[in-house]
Amino acid sequence: MKKWQKKKKPTPNGASQGIKEKAKEKANSSKKYMPNLLKKDEKQKEKDQVIIKRASMKRSTAATIGRVIMIGSIVIVALGVFSAFRHNLVLSDLEDQVSAQQQDNSPKNNRNIKNISAVEYFTTQFMRHYTSIKPGEDKQKEREEALQSFLATGLDKGAGIDYANIPGSQRYDSSDVVSIKQKDDHISDVSIKVHVTSMKEVEKKSKDKDGKEKVEKKNEEKQATLYYLVRVYEDKNGYSVIDLPQPYMPKQNQQVTVSENEENKNTNAALNNEVRSFLESFFKTYTVKDRSDETKFFFKDSAKAESLNGLMNYVSMGDVSVYEKESNKGQYIIRCSVKLEQPVTGIQSNHNYEFSLQQDGQDKFEILKMKPISYEIN
């Protein structure tokens, strides 16, 4: 009979035991202190730290330089703007001083040149209502109301018209401003010519077939020309008539006598004929359409060349007078009369011209200046 015994644990065989031991030794050996590897790791860490430090230094330096450049640019631009602003202020101040000085030195009667058209319009509209007169209280009231926008406060509402003695009516036809004289900075005297038509009822006597006298009433119209001086006040708020219109009689047309200066008149027939021939050639070109470019060959300075370009036709040359210039040898003053014709109507007219010519060789002249004749007033 077998005895009961504890079973023994199986012992690992020798091969498996050897493998385990070797693995354990290898693991333990990897955990061992190895000076060479440690030094290598420390050197690598030092290199990495240097690279990181250099990189951080480069980024910081570049950023600093960029900031400096940016700040410098802002400062330069700011200085430029300030300098330009200061320069403009100085110029503006100088312009204001010059403008004020010019205004102080200029005559006062030139101050409202730009407003002359407005003054003319205002005065014309005022005269339209002032000279439009019809009998009857209702018509009188309408006229007074229309005049209130023109008359200064305190003037007669009817601008001086006596409605109690109106024989008929008066109609405004047209007007022309003759002149505007500025009295001071605000007041102008406007001279105006007004054309009106008066209408009134008149009695006409006549005889019938039997020879008996009869009286008929008819409306009669007459045209008249009136001259008034209107004093106009102007300020920033507008215009006002500050005085009742004053009638006046304009000066008569002045009669004066003119004559040509005959000093230094040339008597050389050959020279006179050469000048005439030259001027005839010039006027034939001067009047023809689409030949304006050719007239420049007659002038010494082509920029001064003129042309009628078909506006008138050349007909003939009249009198030609040649005067020598004592101060300039070879230069002459020419006065001539030319007959021209209107192409559409065929009407012919005489026109006088004065030339300054320079002789440039035989039979050759150049125009220095061309203008209408200036006569001397006796």
Side-chain angles (χ1 to χ4, degrees):
M1 189 174 177
K2 292 182 179 180
K3 292 182 179 178
W4 293 94
Q5 297 177 350
K6 292 182 180 180
K7 293 183 178 180
K8 293 182 179 180
K9 293 181 180 179
T11 59
N13 55 27
S16 62
Q17 182 68 31
I19 292 171
K20 289 182 179 180
E21 292 293 332
K22 288 180 180 180
K24 188 175 181 180
E25 289 177 0
K26 189 175 181 179
N28 293 332
S29 65
S30 64
K31 296 179 181 178
K32 289 181 180 179
Y33 172 75
M34 299 178 71
N36 294 334
L37 291 176
L38 182 59
K39 289 180 180 180
K40 187 176 180 180
D41 290 342
E42 289 177 351
K43 288 181 179 180
Q44 186 64 38
K45 288 181 180 179
E46 289 178 358
K47 289 181 181 180
D48 293 341
Q49 289 177 357
V50 170
I51 292 172
I52 293 170
K53 186 176 182 180
R54 287 178 179 176
S56 62
M57 288 178 65
K58 288 181 181 178
R59 287 196 297 271
S60 177
T61 304
T64 302
I65 294 172
R67 291 193 190 98
V68 170
I69 294 173
M70 183 177 67
I71 293 171
S73 301
I74 293 172
V75 171
I76 291 171
V77 171
L79 289 174
V81 171
F82 174 76
S83 177
F85 180 70
R86 184 171 176 270
H87 180 67
N88 288 338
L89 283 178
V90 172
L91 285 180
S92 177
D93 185 55
L94 286 175
E95 288 175 355
D96 291 342
Q97 291 178 12
V98 172
S99 177
Q101 195 172 26
Q102 289 176 346
Q103 289 177 0
D104 291 341
N105 294 333
S106 61
K108 289 185 177 180
N109 59 0
N110 291 333
R111 50 109 194 140
N112 269 338
I113 299 302
K114 63 181 180 180
N115 294 333
I116 285 180
S117 296
V119 173
E120 289 183 356
Y121 178 79
F122 172 82
T123 308
T124 300
Q125 296 305 309
F126 167 70
M127 294 307 297
R128 183 187 299 274
H129 294 287
Y130 174 77
T131 56
S132 297
I133 303 169
K134 294 181 180 179
E137 291 185 3
D138 55 340
K139 298 298 181 183
Q140 176 183 350
K141 187 176 180 180
E142 288 179 8
R143 179 176 175 275
E144 288 179 352
E145 289 176 354
L147 287 173
Q148 294 317 297
S149 61
F150 296 92
L151 297 173
T153 304
L155 290 180
D156 178 63
K157 292 183 178 180
I161 298 298
D162 182 8
Y163 283 96
N165 297 290
I166 296 179
S169 61
Q170 180 175 275
R171 183 184 69 230
Y172 168 91
D173 293 331
S174 63
S175 62
D176 299 289
V177 173
V178 177
S179 67
I180 297 178
K181 294 181 179 180
Q182 294 164 340
K183 309 297 290 183
D184 58 26
D185 289 345
H186 298 283
I187 299 174
S188 299
D189 284 346
V190 183
S191 299
I192 187 168
K193 178 172 68 173
V194 187
H195 303 282
V196 298
T197 299
S198 66
M199 296 163 286
K200 63 180 179 179
E201 191 177 67
V202 296
E203 293 182 349
K204 294 283 186 179
K205 294 181 179 181
S206 61
K207 293 182 178 181
D208 58 14
K209 295 180 180 179
D210 299 330
K212 292 181 179 180
E213 189 178 88
K214 61 178 183 179
V215 178
E216 294 179 343
K217 291 184 178 181
K218 293 184 178 180
N219 290 326
E220 183 182 62
E221 292 188 0
K222 288 185 178 180
Q223 280 75 37
T225 300
L226 310 173
Y227 293 87
Y228 290 100
L229 180 67
V230 182
R231 182 155 291 179
V232 178
Y233 178 85
E234 173 191 355
D235 62 12
K236 63 182 181 180
N237 297 320
Y239 304 88
S240 295
V241 175
I242 59 173
D243 197 358
L244 298 180
Q246 302 296 325
Y248 78 96
M249 178 59 69
K251 292 181 179 179
Q252 297 295 321
N253 294 333
Q254 187 178 5
Q255 299 298 320
V256 297
T257 303
V258 297
S259 63
E260 292 186 24
N261 185 354
E262 298 291 334
E263 293 181 6
N264 303 321
K265 189 172 183 178
N266 180 65
T267 58
N268 187 326
L271 177 63
N272 292 350
N273 289 333
E274 291 173 4
V275 170
R276 174 182 284 273
S277 178
F278 171 79
L279 291 177
E280 285 177 345
S281 298
F282 167 72
F283 276 104
K284 288 176 182 178
T285 307
Y286 175 69
T287 54
V288 176
K289 189 176 182 180
D290 299 328
R291 292 186 64 183
S292 56
D293 289 341
E294 298 180 26
T295 60
K296 66 182 180 181
F297 298 110
F298 292 88
F299 287 81
K300 184 175 181 63
D301 184 358
S302 59
K304 295 181 179 180
E306 300 178 25
S307 173
L308 288 180
N309 197 24
L311 182 65
M312 301 287 279
N313 295 330
Y314 171 76
V315 179
S316 62
M317 178 70 66
D319 295 333
V320 177
S321 300
V322 181
Y323 303 87
E324 296 183 15
K325 279 188 175 182
E326 293 182 349
S327 58
N328 295 301
K329 194 68 175 176
Q331 290 189 7
Y332 305 93
I333 298 296
I334 314 298
R335 296 190 180 100
C336 65
S337 176
V338 183
K339 183 174 288 188
L340 303 177
E341 179 186 76
Q342 295 180 12
V344 178
T345 63
I347 296 175
Q348 297 182 357
S349 54
N350 292 312
H351 303 273
N352 299 324
Y353 292 91
E354 182 176 293
F355 291 87
S356 178
L357 295 186
Q358 176 175 294
Q359 190 170 17
D360 187 15
Q362 189 175 5
D363 299 336
K364 185 177 180 182
F365 299 91
E366 291 177 320
I367 299 174
L368 302 177
K369 189 182 295 184
M370 172 185 178
K371 65 177 183 178
I373 283 184
S374 298
Y375 292 102
E376 290 189 352
I377 299 176
N378 298 331

